[in-house]
PDB file of all heavy atoms in Angstrom:
ATOM      1  N   MET A1328      72.058  29.315 131.376  1.00  0.00           N
ATOM      2  CA  MET A1328      72.916  29.073 132.567  1.00  0.00           C
ATOM      3  C   MET A1328      72.770  30.162 133.578  1.00  0.00           C
ATOM      4  O   MET A1328      72.817  31.360 133.265  1.00  0.00           O
ATOM      5  CB  MET A1328      74.435  29.042 132.095  1.00  0.00           C
ATOM      6  CG  MET A1328      75.350  28.519 133.169  1.00  0.00           C
ATOM      7  SD  MET A1328      77.044  28.504 132.605  1.00  0.00           S
ATOM      8  CE  MET A1328      77.490  30.186 132.977  1.00  0.00           C
ATOM      9  N   GLY A1329      72.519  29.737 134.845  1.00  0.00           N
ATOM     10  CA  GLY A1329      72.426  30.627 135.948  1.00  0.00           C
ATOM     11  C   GLY A1329      71.010  31.223 136.146  1.00  0.00           C
ATOM     12  O   GLY A1329      70.691  31.736 137.196  1.00  0.00           O
ATOM     13  N   PHE A1330      70.121  31.068 135.122  1.00  0.00           N
ATOM     14  CA  PHE A1330      68.830  31.725 135.259  1.00  0.00           C
ATOM     15  C   PHE A1330      67.680  30.807 134.766  1.00  0.00           C
ATOM     16  O   PHE A1330      66.591  31.345 134.485  1.00  0.00           O
ATOM     17  CB  PHE A1330      68.789  33.059 134.413  1.00  0.00           C
ATOM     18  CG  PHE A1330      69.872  34.004 134.858  1.00  0.00           C
ATOM     19  CD1 PHE A1330      71.088  34.089 134.168  1.00  0.00           C
ATOM     20  CD2 PHE A1330      69.675  34.781 136.035  1.00  0.00           C
ATOM     21  CE1 PHE A1330      72.018  35.003 134.603  1.00  0.00           C
ATOM     22  CE2 PHE A1330      70.670  35.644 136.428  1.00  0.00           C
ATOM     23  CZ  PHE A1330      71.851  35.776 135.776  1.00  0.00           C
ATOM     24  N   THR A1331      67.876  29.499 134.735  1.00  0.00           N
ATOM     25  CA  THR A1331      66.763  28.620 134.437  1.00  0.00           C
ATOM     26  C   THR A1331      65.635  28.729 135.418  1.00  0.00           C
ATOM     27  O   THR A1331      64.507  28.713 135.012  1.00  0.00           O
ATOM     28  CB  THR A1331      67.307  27.166 134.373  1.00  0.00           C
ATOM     29  OG1 THR A1331      68.302  27.099 133.299  1.00  0.00           O
ATOM     30  CG2 THR A1331      66.214  26.225 134.044  1.00  0.00           C
ATOM     31  N   GLY A1332      65.980  28.854 136.719  1.00  0.00           N
ATOM     32  CA  GLY A1332      64.961  28.898 137.725  1.00  0.00           C
ATOM     33  C   GLY A1332      63.905  30.036 137.502  1.00  0.00           C
ATOM     34  O   GLY A1332      62.735  29.785 137.394  1.00  0.00           O
ATOM     35  N   PRO A1333      64.371  31.289 137.437  1.00  0.00           N
ATOM     36  CA  PRO A1333      63.355  32.392 137.217  1.00  0.00           C
ATOM     37  C   PRO A1333      62.710  32.270 135.896  1.00  0.00           C
ATOM     38  O   PRO A1333      61.508  32.583 135.776  1.00  0.00           O
ATOM     39  CB  PRO A1333      64.195  33.672 137.348  1.00  0.00           C
ATOM     40  CG  PRO A1333      65.715  33.251 137.185  1.00  0.00           C
ATOM     41  CD  PRO A1333      65.724  31.827 137.693  1.00  0.00           C
ATOM     42  N   ASN A1334      63.444  31.868 134.822  1.00  0.00           N
ATOM     43  CA  ASN A1334      62.832  31.864 133.490  1.00  0.00           C
ATOM     44  C   ASN A1334      61.715  30.871 133.381  1.00  0.00           C
ATOM     45  O   ASN A1334      60.683  31.098 132.753  1.00  0.00           O
ATOM     46  CB  ASN A1334      63.875  31.593 132.444  1.00  0.00           C
ATOM     47  CG  ASN A1334      64.878  32.698 132.240  1.00  0.00           C
ATOM     48  OD1 ASN A1334      64.784  33.755 132.950  1.00  0.00           O
ATOM     49  ND2 ASN A1334      65.826  32.598 131.365  1.00  0.00           N
ATOM     50  N   VAL A1335      61.918  29.649 134.019  1.00  0.00           N
ATOM     51  CA  VAL A1335      60.839  28.676 134.008  1.00  0.00           C
ATOM     52  C   VAL A1335      59.701  29.102 134.957  1.00  0.00           C
ATOM     53  O   VAL A1335      58.501  28.982 134.679  1.00  0.00           O
ATOM     54  CB  VAL A1335      61.400  27.336 134.415  1.00  0.00           C
ATOM     55  CG1 VAL A1335      60.226  26.291 134.619  1.00  0.00           C
ATOM     56  CG2 VAL A1335      62.357  26.765 133.381  1.00  0.00           C
ATOM     57  N   TRP A1336      60.043  29.700 136.138  1.00  0.00           N
ATOM     58  CA  TRP A1336      59.070  30.173 137.063  1.00  0.00           C
ATOM     59  C   TRP A1336      58.166  31.208 136.445  1.00  0.00           C
ATOM     60  O   TRP A1336      56.920  31.203 136.712  1.00  0.00           O
ATOM     61  CB  TRP A1336      59.822  30.776 138.286  1.00  0.00           C
ATOM     62  CG  TRP A1336      58.944  31.191 139.482  1.00  0.00           C
ATOM     63  CD1 TRP A1336      58.311  32.348 139.638  1.00  0.00           C
ATOM     64  CD2 TRP A1336      58.700  30.381 140.610  1.00  0.00           C
ATOM     65  NE1 TRP A1336      57.679  32.359 140.863  1.00  0.00           N
ATOM     66  CE2 TRP A1336      57.897  31.177 141.505  1.00  0.00           C
ATOM     67  CE3 TRP A1336      59.057  29.100 141.037  1.00  0.00           C
ATOM     68  CZ2 TRP A1336      57.447  30.768 142.727  1.00  0.00           C
ATOM     69  CZ3 TRP A1336      58.618  28.685 142.299  1.00  0.00           C
ATOM     70  CH2 TRP A1336      57.836  29.462 143.112  1.00  0.00           C
ATOM     71  N   TYR A1337      58.738  32.069 135.608  1.00  0.00           N
ATOM     72  CA  TYR A1337      57.904  33.128 134.981  1.00  0.00           C
ATOM     73  C   TYR A1337      57.090  32.592 133.716  1.00  0.00           C
ATOM     74  O   TYR A1337      56.315  33.345 133.169  1.00  0.00           O
ATOM     75  CB  TYR A1337      58.796  34.234 134.504  1.00  0.00           C
ATOM     76  CG  TYR A1337      59.441  35.004 135.645  1.00  0.00           C
ATOM     77  CD1 TYR A1337      60.739  35.530 135.457  1.00  0.00           C
ATOM     78  CD2 TYR A1337      58.863  35.189 136.878  1.00  0.00           C
ATOM     79  CE1 TYR A1337      61.411  36.216 136.495  1.00  0.00           C
ATOM     80  CE2 TYR A1337      59.474  35.807 137.887  1.00  0.00           C
ATOM     81  CZ  TYR A1337      60.766  36.313 137.716  1.00  0.00           C
ATOM     82  OH  TYR A1337      61.375  36.968 138.752  1.00  0.00           O
ATOM     83  N   GLY A1338      57.304  31.302 133.345  1.00  0.00           N
ATOM     84  CA  GLY A1338      56.390  30.713 132.351  1.00  0.00           C
ATOM     85  C   GLY A1338      56.956  29.988 131.128  1.00  0.00           C
ATOM     86  O   GLY A1338      56.212  29.511 130.333  1.00  0.00           O
ATOM     87  N   LEU A1339      58.282  29.841 131.065  1.00  0.00           N
ATOM     88  CA  LEU A1339      58.894  29.224 129.842  1.00  0.00           C
ATOM     89  C   LEU A1339      58.948  27.738 129.947  1.00  0.00           C
ATOM     90  O   LEU A1339      59.959  27.128 130.215  1.00  0.00           O
ATOM     91  CB  LEU A1339      60.292  29.863 129.617  1.00  0.00           C
ATOM     92  CG  LEU A1339      60.280  31.350 129.273  1.00  0.00           C
ATOM     93  CD1 LEU A1339      61.688  31.849 129.101  1.00  0.00           C
ATOM     94  CD2 LEU A1339      59.478  31.594 127.949  1.00  0.00           C
ATOM     95  N   ALA A1340      57.780  27.108 129.629  1.00  0.00           N
ATOM     96  CA  ALA A1340      57.693  25.650 129.653  1.00  0.00           C
ATOM     97  C   ALA A1340      56.491  25.254 128.765  1.00  0.00           C
ATOM     98  O   ALA A1340      55.490  25.937 128.775  1.00  0.00           O
ATOM     99  CB  ALA A1340      57.520  25.087 131.071  1.00  0.00           C
ATOM    100  N   GLY A1341      56.591  24.061 128.110  1.00  0.00           N
ATOM    101  CA  GLY A1341      55.504  23.572 127.295  1.00  0.00           C
ATOM    102  C   GLY A1341      55.706  22.104 127.015  1.00  0.00           C
ATOM    103  O   GLY A1341      56.792  21.563 127.153  1.00  0.00           O
TER     104      GLY A1341
END
Side-chain angles (χ1 to χ4, degrees):
M1328 193 180 82
F1330 301 100
T1331 298
N1334 290 1
V1335 172
W1336 188 272
Y1337 295 146
L1339 292 178

